Amino acid sequence: MAKPKLDLLSFLFFYTLLLSFFHCTLSLIDAEDEPSWITMETEEVNMVQTRRDSWKKCDFSVGKWVFDQAYPLYDSNCPYLSTSVTCQKNGRPDSDYEKWKWKPFGCSIPRFDALGFLGKMRGKRIMLVGDSIMRNQWESLVCLIQGVIPTNRKRVTYNGPSMAFHAMDFETSIEFFWAPLLVELKKGPENKRILHLDLIEENARYWRGVDILVFDSAHWWTHSGQTSSWDYYMEGNSIITNMNPMVAYQKGLSTWARWVDLNLDPRRTRVFFRSMSPRHNRQNGWKCYKQRQPLQFFSHIHVPEPLVVLQGVLKRMRFPVYLQDITTMTAFRRDGHPSVYSKAINEERQKAGIGLSSDCSHWCLPGVPDIWNEMLSALL
């Protein structure tokens, strides 16, 4: 009678071991290749999903990158791309970084269908709100759809801090609104820059009437010292010269969350918040230089602190906001940054690497943000 009990225990042990292997990303080939945020001592938390069951069919944030020759879905001649992200035109010698597709473990993300997307978005306004990484994503989305629209039936307009691509036959606009901190940054006495943690209406008035809003905000909150975008904070009439950046981030996000809860109707507007896009800029921005392959494994994964703060704010909201968690999946892609190819350089200067800056924050296009937009299209 003892033998069946032993077999059962052995089975349970090996089954648990097998599950842990497939569910977690273990054993790193080179521990030095981990993005710096991976080792942050932050409590791991579950991804905040939405309260709408129809959006819970698959956890897109857990999966692996697979090489797919069918990519990219457009080329770097797309006329709406910033020069700094057209890495092929700027002399990057390799192109495999354009051909990786994200495959979630529990499902598949459909290949982006430009006409299908425009059909779903007929008569709607889509606005991407945030920083230059969100501008990266906006350019990607415009390039994904613009090829199916006749030249004389598309245009771009500008309105203050926003720009909009119009697909005229579909009465659809895809807009980008510059608000890297979401809350208001103003000039004060003596030209000092004041970050108002409790004011947002100056930006938010542009968001009214939009059908689909996609937000991001993290990178600017982590700047410090000479790279900081403000001289001091204000809450009400109180001036604050020193504050933990994550406390300030939580306050700013809470102001955004209150505005969404009070001003938007979930029956008319869908809201997404895209998590932070990791930077691979250890060694003064040269960590991504000459990288040709995605990372294969992480030895252990901790959620970066800005994502923990964001999750906490979203959990307390009444409005059903979907957290599009791209942080871990994107952390594998150290190969996808412009690095030194943010402007055209000749081969000799590439080899020497002298007098060149290395951008390990933004993304080459075509590239990683195309996958974020495939995820967004699937969610819509």
Side-chain angles (χ1 to χ4, degrees), residues 22-298:
F22 283 106
H23 187 68
C24 303
T25 48
L26 302 176
S27 73
L28 185 67
I29 294 175
D30 179 1
E32 286 300 310
D33 286 336
E34 292 187 26
S36 57
W37 61 262
I38 291 293
T39 55
M40 290 175 65
E41 293 301 322
T42 322
E43 183 177 344
E44 194 164 358
V45 296
N46 292 325
M47 185 178 79
V48 178
Q49 289 281 11
T50 176
R51 291 182 286 277
R52 292 182 180 177
D53 290 341
S54 63
W55 293 2
K56 285 185 176 180
K57 294 177 181 177
C58 180
D59 184 352
F60 288 151
S61 69
V62 182
K64 64 180 180 178
W65 290 96
V66 295
F67 195 76
D68 189 335
Q69 289 282 6
Y71 285 75
L73 303 179
Y74 59 91
D75 62 40
S76 59
N77 290 315
C78 172
Y80 302 99
L81 293 179
S82 301
T83 302
S84 59
V85 300
T86 55
C87 302
Q88 289 293 298
K89 292 175 75 172
N90 292 339
R92 181 164 175 168
D94 62 307
S95 60
D96 281 358
Y97 67 90
E98 298 180 335
K99 299 180 182 298
W100 292 93
K101 178 179 175 63
W102 180 250
K103 175 67 174 70
F105 289 139
C107 60
S108 294
I109 300 174
R111 181 182 173 89
F112 192 90
D113 174 5
L115 284 174
F117 181 84
L118 287 167
K120 288 186 293 186
M121 296 298 104
R122 183 181 294 275
K124 297 186 184 300
R125 291 178 64 195
I126 309 161
M127 183 179 283
L128 281 61
V129 180
D131 55 22
S132 57
I133 308 295
M134 188 61 91
R135 167 71 182 264
N136 223 177
Q137 185 175 351
W138 177 83
E139 292 183 7
S140 161
L141 184 54
V142 169
C143 287
L144 283 166
I145 67 165
Q146 67 89 27
V148 300
I149 306 170
T151 302
N152 63 345
R153 304 305 297 162
K154 55 191 173 187
R155 61 191 173 95
V156 174
T157 59
Y158 301 88
N159 179 23
S162 68
M163 63 179 70
F165 174 87
H166 302 270
M168 294 154 68
D169 291 330
F170 293 87
E171 298 181 322
T172 299
S173 66
I174 299 173
E175 306 172 35
F176 168 70
F177 184 87
W178 173 257
L181 297 159
L182 300 182
V183 292
E184 296 175 18
L185 181 64
K186 297 182 177 182
K187 286 289 180 69
E190 299 178 0
N191 225 28
K192 295 292 186 181
R193 301 162 301 170
I194 310 167
L195 183 57
H196 293 266
L197 298 174
D198 55 354
L199 297 182
I200 199 169
E201 185 59 38
E202 200 170 274
N203 293 327
R205 61 194 172 96
Y206 289 89
W207 310 337
R208 298 178 186 274
V210 176
D211 299 283
I212 293 139
L213 283 161
V214 185
F215 294 92
D216 90 320
S217 184
H219 284 297
W220 279 41
W221 293 92
T222 62
H223 295 171
S224 60
Q226 292 184 343
T227 63
S228 177
S229 303
W230 58 89
D231 297 301
Y232 53 83
Y233 306 97
M234 280 195 75
E235 275 191 291
N237 295 320
S238 300
I239 294 175
I240 305 161
T241 56
N242 191 28
M243 183 184 295
N244 181 299
M246 289 301 97
V247 172
Y249 183 50
Q250 192 274 336
K251 289 176 178 289
L253 281 183
S254 296
T255 297
W256 166 84
R258 283 191 297 272
W259 186 90
V260 170
D261 278 340
L262 291 171
N263 292 277
L264 297 184
D265 181 349
R267 293 169 298 183
R268 299 186 59 188
T269 306
R270 293 176 73 171
V271 178
F272 300 82
F273 206 113
R274 200 205 69 221
S275 67
M276 67 183 298
S277 165
R279 291 173 285 196
H280 297 86
N281 58 351
R282 195 185 297 175
Q283 299 174 358
N284 297 319
W286 288 84
K287 191 64 180 175
C288 66
Y289 181 51
K290 290 187 176 180
Q291 299 296 340
R292 299 291 184 262
Q293 297 284 326
L295 283 165
Q296 296 300 310
F297 305 102
F298 296 132

